[in-house]
Amino acid sequence: MSALPLDPTAPLAAGAGSASIGIVGAGQFSRSFATLWDLHPNVDRLVITDLVPERAKSLAARYEGATVVDSFEEMLESDVDAVAIFTQRWTHAPLVLAALEAGKHVYSAVPMATELTDIEAIVAAVERTGLTYMMGETSYYNPATVFIREKIREGALGQVFYTEGDYVHDMDLGFYAAYQYSGGEDWKSTASYPPMLYPTHAIGGVLGALPARAVSVSCIGVEDRRGDGVFDREISQFGNSFSNATALFELSDGGAMRTNEMRRVGYPSHIRESRFRFFGTEASFEQLAHQSVWNDKETSTDLSADFVPVRGSVDEADLADVDPALREAFTSGSTRVHDRTRLPASYADAPNGHEGSHHFLADDFVRAVVTGEHAPVDAWLAARFTAPGIVAHASALAGGERLPIPDFGSRPARD
């Protein structure tokens, strides 16, 4: 593989190097990325594995030259350059660490980990091996985050002193079906996954734009009242009974960030399940379900049209295994704020998802592996997106006690 320092704003050339990718987990989400990597000119081969062999075989049959291996261990013993982990959210860290130790570059679905010690171990492994690690956080490419990231670089907001990031996704809107699909007979024990242990869609959209980290948190967890066995502490694998949680974070730049993680909420999450607000001394930006507004001290400008994804054609066969409530999230197009000029031409009519993020996620991972440069959401930024939620959940269990959040450092320079 090439390690040339190629222009990050330009498309990778087909001759710039290539990589093979092993996909671990052939469920509903992984298909979107398998399709994009199959289309990528710098990916030469896909290898797939799943605990349910039929799922792996079915996914591999969609792509010319794709092969199947029987296990994750066999994947690590193979000659694939990189692995992409699309397994249950609480299983990622051990798989990531095993892959890094086996010399594989790693793409991991969110979250990075559920324990601070695992975050520390992943960061250390990436530092020691020099391998690529990328967490697939969609909110880093959320149109609001892309827009505000540039505004902050320009200094247009002045001092940013307060921010909000919400992940508003009701369990009834696709999550029940998703947990049943992947969890088997005991699905209720895992459907109770603590909201603040899946914080990166809310936190990543803020800290993906703001050059700061969370240093302390106080969090309130809301006890669930549905009574259907989900979020029942006695049934939960995680001992969790919180279905909603709200956290207030102190940031390293002196500002504050509020985060909401909601799983019981009267809100149409397919409209905009991640939404953000940024308040600065010179300007502010606010989002609701349908509106995105830029304010300064004299005017208020409705920018909503710039943040609405334009959907292309959708192959319904590709969505056969996806719950209807989740399909819009898997089929969004890009928005006006997305600069698509550096994406592969083969992505022009390809399926996209999560407000335009999938194309950039898939391309940035390949770009990092082929060039040897850091991925945008590398181990250090992934830690900043993930660790605050882990500490926030501990705060909620302690009745809202304010707790410190560890610093996992910043990315080192690469030659």
Side-chain angles (χ1 to χ4, degrees):
M1 294 182 293
S2 167
L4 296 175
L6 301 179
D7 182 358
T9 65
L12 282 169
S18 62
S20 52
I21 299 179
I23 295 174
V24 183
Q28 299 179 31
F29 195 53
S30 63
R31 180 183 295 180
S32 299
F33 291 88
T35 296
L36 294 174
W37 285 321
D38 180 65
L39 289 170
H40 201 289
N42 297 87
V43 175
D44 56 26
R45 180 165 52 101
L46 297 180
V47 181
I48 301 170
T49 192
D50 192 281
L51 291 175
V52 180
E54 292 73 20
R55 291 182 186 172
K57 293 174 183 176
S58 175
L59 184 58
R62 301 173 62 84
Y63 311 112
E64 182 177 356
T67 58
V68 172
V69 294
D70 292 334
S71 67
F72 176 64
E73 292 73 22
E74 186 177 346
M75 179 81 78
L76 297 189
E77 292 171 359
S78 74
D79 62 353
V80 296
D81 299 307
V83 296
I85 295 169
F86 294 100
T87 58
Q88 296 277 36
R89 56 193 69 176
W90 56 92
T91 65
H92 297 160
L95 301 178
V96 167
L97 289 166
L100 291 170
E101 292 302 325
K104 310 299 184 186
H105 304 287
V106 177
Y107 178 99
S108 173
V110 297
M112 183 183 196
T114 60
E115 300 286 347
L116 296 176
T117 51
D118 283 335
I119 293 178
E120 183 178 24
I122 291 171
V123 169
V126 173
E127 288 181 334
R128 177 169 45 81
T129 63
L131 292 164
T132 292
Y133 170 91
M134 178 172 173
M135 185 176 75
E137 178 43 57
T138 58
S139 284
Y140 184 84
Y141 306 89
N142 183 285
T145 304
V146 171
F147 174 79
I148 290 295
R149 189 158 52 231
E150 186 57 33
K151 288 294 186 182
I152 288 174
R153 285 173 181 162
E154 295 171 0
L157 284 89
Q159 177 190 356
V160 180
F161 59 87
Y162 178 75
T163 57
E164 295 180 5
D166 299 335
Y167 183 58
V168 190
H169 195 141
D170 191 271
M171 288 288 293
D172 292 329
L173 300 181
F175 274 170
Y176 274 94
Y179 278 110
Q180 290 171 23
Y181 181 85
S182 58
E185 293 182 359
D186 295 327
W187 67 271
K188 288 185 178 182
S189 69
T190 56
S192 59
Y193 190 78
M196 276 294 167
L197 296 190
Y198 194 72
T200 60
H201 294 332
I203 293 173
V206 173
L207 298 186
L210 195 64
R213 69 176 188 88
V215 299
S216 70
V217 61
S218 176
C219 180
I220 300 299
V222 178
E223 296 283 341
D224 192 57
R225 297 181 181 178
R226 175 72 68 88
D228 64 354
V230 176
F231 300 114
D232 183 321
R233 187 177 286 111
E234 301 303 317
I235 296 173
S236 171
Q237 174 179 314
F238 315 98
N240 177 56
S241 56
F242 299 144
S243 53
N244 295 319
T246 296
L248 181 63
F249 297 93
E250 174 194 9
L251 299 185
S252 59
D253 62 1
M257 173 178 68
R258 191 203 70 189
T259 294
N260 283 310
E261 288 288 340
M262 301 180 182
R263 304 296 180 267
R264 301 285 197 207
V265 54
Y267 180 89
S269 61
H270 63 279
I271 302 269
R272 177 178 283 138
E273 64 185 5
S274 297
R275 59 190 211 178
F276 306 99
R277 303 172 82 197
F278 293 79
F279 288 86
T281 54
E282 301 302 320
S284 60
F285 175 82
E286 301 180 80
Q287 285 191 310
L288 293 172
H290 296 283
Q291 285 187 298
S292 297
V293 180
W294 174 265
N295 307 295
D296 59 27
K297 296 183 180 182
E298 297 179 354
T299 61
S300 181
T301 306
D302 190 329
L303 303 176
S304 301
D306 291 343
F307 296 86
V308 177
V310 179
R311 284 179 167 78
S313 59
V314 177
D315 185 348
E316 293 298 329
D318 285 344
L319 302 173
D321 293 331
V322 178
D323 186 86
L326 297 175
R327 289 178 182 177
E328 286 200 42
F330 282 70
T331 59
S332 72
S334 297
T335 71
R336 293 178 185 175
V337 304
H338 287 121
D339 180 4
R340 297 182 52 83
T341 56
R342 58 89 160 176
L343 292 173
S346 54
Y347 281 13
D349 298 314
N352 205 343
H354 286 89
E355 298 190 69
S357 67
H358 289 194
H359 287 187
F360 292 94
L361 286 164
D363 183 58
D364 272 339
F365 181 61
V366 176
R367 183 179 296 270
V369 170
V370 170
T371 67
E373 303 206 358
H374 289 290
V377 186
D378 59 15
W380 296 270
L381 193 55
R384 290 190 178 194
F385 291 177
T386 307
I390 296 174
V391 180
H393 182 58
S395 170
L397 291 173
E401 180 183 352
R402 185 171 176 177
L403 299 175
I405 300 167
D407 182 4
F408 294 93
S410 302
R411 66 172 61 164
R414 284 188 174 174
D415 296 332

